[in-house]
Amino acid sequence: MSAPSNLAARVADRLRGLAGPWDVFAEHSRRFEIHLSGTRVELTRGPLDLEGFGLRLLRAVEGQTGVGFQASTDFSERGVRTAVEEAETFARFNQFPAKHPELPGGRPSTGDGAKIVDPALWSDPAGALERYGAALLAAFEGRNGVVPSFSSIKATLTEASVANSTGLTYAYAHTAVETEVAVKAFGGPEGRPPGEYWFSDLGRRLDPGPLPTLAADWARFAEDARRAKSPPNGEVPVVLPPDVLAGIVPAVVRFQFGASARLRGLGVVSESQVGAEGLDVFDDGLLDWGVGSSPVDDEGTPQRKRKLISNGRASQLLYDVLHADALGAASSGNGVRTSGFDPGANLWLKFTRRPAPEASTIVIPPGNGGTDAEIVEQVDDGVWVQQIAWAQPDEMGGRFGGEIRIGYRIRHGKLAEPVRGGTVGGGVVTREGTPSLLHDLSVIGSRPKLMGSLSSPTLLVRNLSVSGDDHAPAPP
Amino acid sequence: MAQRVRGENMNLDSKSLSTSATTPWLGVAFRAWSGTRWVETAVSGLDGRALAVAAEALESQLATGRTGGPPPGPAATTVGSFDTAPPRPMRDLGTEGTLARVRELFRWATDDPMIKFVRVGLSWNEEERHYLNTAGANCYQRFDRVRVGVIPVAIENGRSEYDVLQVGSLGGQELLDSLTETRVHQATAMAKALLKSRAPPSGLMNVLLDPGTTGTFAHESFGHGAEADQFVRNRSYLQPLLGKTIAPEFLTLVDDGSIPGAWGSIHFDDEGHPSQRTLLVDHGRFVGALHDRGTAFALGASPTGNTRRSDFLGQAFVRMTNTLIEPGDWNLEELVRETRDGVLLERWESGMEDPLGGQMQLKVRRGHRIENGQLTDLVSAMVLSGGVLQFLRDIRGIAKDENPEIAAGYCGKGYGDLLPVGDGGAYLLSRALVGPS
């Protein structure tokens, strides 16, 4: 693999003489996609080729900082000049309570960095996608009454670079993979409705190795959806595997521990008890294959690992350059150009957005709760939630809630009948003294798994609110 | 399909002001039929050399795969141009003028000491799309979209609650005129009231949806199941029910991309077919689905003008435009009385589709208990769940259209490809599971 192109340096060359502070973040992305309808290739896409840069100027405005920002796909002399003019114009309107923000300088000391490039994907993206599609279909061969009804795999290969007025310049490559597979179970007695398990994940690798195991799990969930009943109604112990936690914990933690929330009087209170005693939670920007991992953040500050919750108490915050200055701290390497809305869009198109404090990969270290089966053994009557439709947490209020797409009743320490429909919800990080997912943890499993922007083992929560009607017939 | 977007974004909160021009989005998507499947490439910019590279990349894929038949379904031959700017485009207001309106909204929202934090967001853009194909279609269209949101946050004893005032439409400055001081104060008052709200009830109960939540139901719970690409994949719970009665006679549900000024409206879709009003449920009978040319061919139907790309980087596939449940003949008081005991769900936040399973998730910011046929306590955020077909069967009444408004939202199909869609409806009474969120 050759050295990644440094488009930011190319723009910086055209900015000689421009008063600082300023920085440029640039990307060259190539995206490839394969979409399957059943076992047929329905659509292939790529290369979708995109080059762009985002220019940020920091200007003193009435004792504060006016941030001028302009993104562009035009790298010509004229294109860069236009971006500068637009950014200067808007900087005059803008205000942020930083007095002397300092951009990182020199060549960042990044060590070995994390693994964030899938070499096979990088060298032959279209071929890798085709092979993955074939492996996916092969994983379902011979399964009676179970097929993938729809699959889409999207791979993005990006050369990212950052340069600024202090002379910093840095470029690196990364890969991102978005996977979506809908598995359908059908057949059997006449009139029995089909069932589906709809899987999605965001990662950095296209690894067909685990597909046979995954396909077996997905097929089981789809089959079980056909005979699932409504869950019970009430406050019950709930087991949440990483597959579900990935849709809940990162969204709340990144907001609650972001310096943006602190500056605005929102988010966690320093040193407050937000989690169970003994619980540590980290943000790790150097985790191998983490979707938020990179040698430097999107402002050029080296990434690292930060402890957000220490023994259950709120500890460090996530800072970018501007918020660090406003709050009298140093950047923690969390200046990220995130969309905040579309997770898949967070790994490319970054040049269209300005940096803000954002988490990398949230890590809940393994505990001593054992395997999933051993966790279940500790529950007399409860629910295992395998999938929530869309947890969509309320970041500010620190709560979540969603429909159970597939789960299992736990009876006397064993997984019992499947459940589906109904809702599960509660606090994630709430104010001191109120129940929440992280505060009311009774067991932390021993086997962590990386899912999206979370690395966590399975967790058992003492009580969460489940709504259901377990006297009702199975949903149609 | 070539696309260009220009506009401005503004965000003002209690600590910072951030304005900028949007990224001048400019790019082209190419699509060709390989004989067995569609292949696509795309490139940013309109530089001749980059376009040639993208076209060559497309041709190289065709060279290895062109063994099957012609592309499925009817190719559009539409020729048309819609280049009309709104009477008062946002561009004419200028950055300072727009900022003045944002500051005014902010001032209205912060004149209550209980409101500890406010965020006002405004974005507008002018978008051009030009579609050409080898059958002769040549469709140019321009959209001007404006969207404004005000979020007041009340905080007390560590509890924070917010309400959302959000509007969006095709058009220009006239949308800002609809954001009055009274409406902003209603949002701040609600944020404060939510601090005292109780947890919602939990379990199976009568549910009364407000108009925005009804619209979200129409879109998320029903509309996604009526996208015919899911029929072709045998992935829709609705497919076997086409032509059958699935709801009470008083329920009619449509997708209509031709409503003037509505957030999700378009003149042509991204295959060159004109937008239209498509009946999905006609007086309780499921009568139609949403099609692109491929699904129309596979299922013996006609394209419905619903093929959309999120942008030049997104794929063209079947999407909704404005999805609406038509009004009924009840008034709100009658529906509350009819509910007797249950909950009113207000201020929609999101929904999630389940195309094959036919389940539904709707989330709302707040609501009220209904006890003995009366609206009582304010309750905090809720999530609703249930089977769509059972929910349809349980509908007992729909209100008159007393305050029609098409809500402005963004829809992702699966896990991406966000694009603007409108939802609408009236108060609707049915039965479902509810829990806290």
Side-chain angles (χ1 to χ4, degrees), chain B residues 281-315:
Chain B
V281 179
D282 185 12
H283 292 90
R285 205 163 68 91
F286 178 36
V287 294
L290 304 174
H291 290 281
D292 62 14
R293 60 182 287 183
T295 65
F297 174 77
L299 300 166
S302 299
T304 54
N306 286 89
T307 310
R308 300 181 69 186
R309 293 182 191 272
S310 54
D311 54 33
F312 72 92
L313 295 166
Q315 71 179 104

Side-chain angles (χ1 to χ4, degrees), chain B residues 358-386:
Chain B
Q359 290 286 113
M360 59 195 271
Q361 171 183 307
L362 299 174
K363 294 183 82 163
V364 297
R365 184 79 212 124
R366 55 180 160 81
H368 281 85
R369 289 293 303 263
I370 299 174
E371 295 166 298
N372 296 317
Q374 303 274 325
L375 282 177
T376 61
D377 296 334
L378 182 67
V379 293
S380 55
M382 286 171 277
V383 57
L384 176 152
S385 155

Side-chain angles (χ1 to χ4, degrees), chain A residues 35 37 42 44-46 49 71 93-95 184 196 233 264 354 389-392 401 403 405 420 422, chain B residues 13 16-20 24 39-40 42 61 202 233-235 313-315 350 353-354 359-361 363 385:
Chain A
H35 301 255
S37 178
E42 183 177 55
T44 53
R45 310 185 72 225
D49 205 307
F93 291 108
N94 293 338
Q95 284 186 309
K184 176 180 173 179
E196 180 177 88
N233 196 48
R264 290 160 174 85
R354 65 189 73 198
W390 184 18
Q392 198 205 9
E403 185 201 42
R405 281 285 155 91
R420 173 170 159 75
Chain B
D13 67 34
S16 67
L17 167 64
S18 158
T19 68
S20 64
V39 293
E40 296 189 358
Q61 295 179 61
S202 179
R233 297 169 184 146
N234 291 318
R235 196 189 170 217
L313 295 166
Q315 71 179 104
S350 67
E353 76 267 32
D354 183 11
Q359 290 286 113
M360 59 195 271
Q361 171 183 307
K363 294 183 82 163
S385 155

Side-chain angles (χ1 to χ4, degrees), chain B residues 132-321:
Chain B
L132 300 165
N133 70 15
T134 48
N138 186 341
C139 306
Y140 172 86
Q141 56 189 328
R142 168 187 166 152
F143 314 100
D144 291 64
R145 284 197 175 88
V146 193
R147 196 167 190 245
V148 186
V150 181
I151 304 177
V153 182
I155 303 175
E156 188 176 64
N157 298 327
R159 180 177 178 179
S160 61
E161 293 285 354
Y162 63 88
D163 200 41
V164 181
L165 169 60
Q166 188 162 278
V167 293
S169 73
L170 289 175
Q173 298 170 37
E174 65 278 5
L175 182 79
L176 305 184
D177 301 339
S178 70
L179 287 163
T180 60
E181 187 171 5
T182 303
R183 290 183 77 181
V184 173
H185 282 166
Q186 284 168 348
T188 57
M190 186 52 71
K192 285 192 303 178
L194 279 166
L195 289 172
K196 311 287 185 204
S197 64
R198 294 166 50 190
S202 179
L204 181 66
M205 65 192 73
N206 293 332
V207 291
L208 184 54
L209 313 187
D210 77 354
T213 311
T214 299
T216 309
F217 166 78
H219 173 100
E220 292 289 348
S221 312
F222 193 89
H224 279 293
E227 292 168 332
D229 50 350
Q230 308 290 23
F231 286 23
V232 174
R233 297 169 184 146
N234 291 318
R235 196 189 170 217
S236 170
Y237 70 100
L238 288 174
Q239 184 178 4
L241 301 171
L242 196 60
K244 296 187 176 158
T245 296
I246 59 168
E249 190 275 337
F250 52 81
L251 183 100
T252 293
L253 196 155
V254 302
D255 184 83
D256 191 348
S258 64
I259 301 170
W263 177 250
S265 289
I266 52 177
H267 299 291
F268 315 101
D269 71 4
D270 291 320
E271 281 184 332
H273 296 289
S275 64
Q276 65 178 52
R277 180 175 190 269
T278 303
L279 263 175
L280 301 177
V281 179
D282 185 12
H283 292 90
R285 205 163 68 91
F286 178 36
V287 294
L290 304 174
H291 290 281
D292 62 14
R293 60 182 287 183
T295 65
F297 174 77
L299 300 166
S302 299
T304 54
N306 286 89
T307 310
R308 300 181 69 186
R309 293 182 191 272
S310 54
D311 54 33
F312 72 92
L313 295 166
Q315 71 179 104
F317 58 158
V318 183
R319 309 298 299 271
M320 282 170 271
T321 55

